[in-house]
Amino acid sequence: MKAVKLFASIVFAALFINVAVADKGKKSVALNVDTKGSKIHWLAKKVTGQHEGNINIANGSLTVDGGKVTGGNFTIDMKSIVCTDITDAGYNQKFISHITTGDFFEVEKFPTAAFKITKVVGETITGDLTIKGITKSVTFPAKISVKGTAATATASIPVDRTDFGVNMVLKNSLIKSVTKQLKIFSL
């Protein structure tokens, strides 16, 4: 059996605005995502080609305490997934229908995905990634920068999609390996 690997990158571009003014003596500040100025860019690669597109962020926030990111959460609108590289409207619709049904993400049943930061140590982030109602802890290195009430972070997260019930079997192969790249920007 010939194994085919799919590599997907998601570039998570989120703009944050300060929505909580720190009380005197309290350092924690919540930065809410600017959903109109933010998106997730995905890139999926396999041996025979690749596709890319965008997914909207429904909502999210980062917690900054003492100039460091200490937590955060993001809700991803899985119903908003689009493919930007397939120019034929019919084929594009067929592709999106395929990845949003039971073969992949089942967006009618699971309209959102989520990521919650549970721990930040230096430039290592641990968090709970939830896809299709299944939550797994992931830990990955990230480049994090906080300046005042602005924060940025970039990371690459390897994910085994079968851990999340995405078990689509292709002829003589199983696409299994996925890598997600997150980039978070703030204002």
Side-chain angles (χ1 to χ4, degrees), residues 18-172:
N18 184 0
V19 296
V21 178
D23 295 331
K24 288 184 180 182
K26 187 176 180 182
K27 300 176 186 177
S28 184
V29 177
L31 302 175
N32 278 354
V33 69
D34 174 2
T35 57
K36 293 191 187 312
S38 303
K39 66 180 176 182
I40 296 171
H41 180 80
W42 59 268
L43 174 65
K45 295 181 181 180
K46 57 184 180 176
V47 173
T48 60
Q50 68 182 39
H51 294 295
E52 64 183 291
N54 300 308
I55 308 172
N56 293 335
I57 300 168
N59 59 61
S61 65
L62 279 180
T63 303
V64 177
D65 191 351
K68 296 184 182 211
V69 172
T70 58
N73 59 27
F74 304 92
T75 302
I76 300 143
D77 179 5
M78 296 302 291
K79 286 187 169 187
S80 71
I81 192 167
V82 296
C83 179
T84 57
D85 70 301
I86 300 174
T87 56
D88 178 272
Y91 183 60
N92 190 303
Q93 182 179 4
K94 183 178 177 182
F95 176 76
I96 292 298
S97 293
H98 175 62
I99 65 171
T100 58
T101 62
D103 287 343
F104 283 90
F105 297 113
E106 294 183 85
V107 300
E108 289 302 318
K109 187 174 179 182
F110 304 101
T112 61
F115 181 71
K116 179 180 179 180
I117 298 171
T118 58
K119 183 177 171 184
V120 180
V121 177
E123 293 200 340
T124 300
I125 294 176
T126 298
D128 294 331
L129 178 62
T130 303
I131 301 171
K132 290 181 66 173
I134 300 168
T135 302
K136 299 287 183 178
S137 180
V138 293
T139 300
F140 51 89
K143 292 182 182 178
I144 303 168
S145 173
V146 177
K147 294 181 181 174
T149 58
T152 62
T154 60
S156 181
I157 307 167
V159 176
D160 180 345
R161 68 170 179 81
T162 62
D163 285 345
F164 298 95
V166 182
N167 297 312
M168 174 62 186
V169 177
L170 300 176
K171 294 177 185 175
N172 299 322

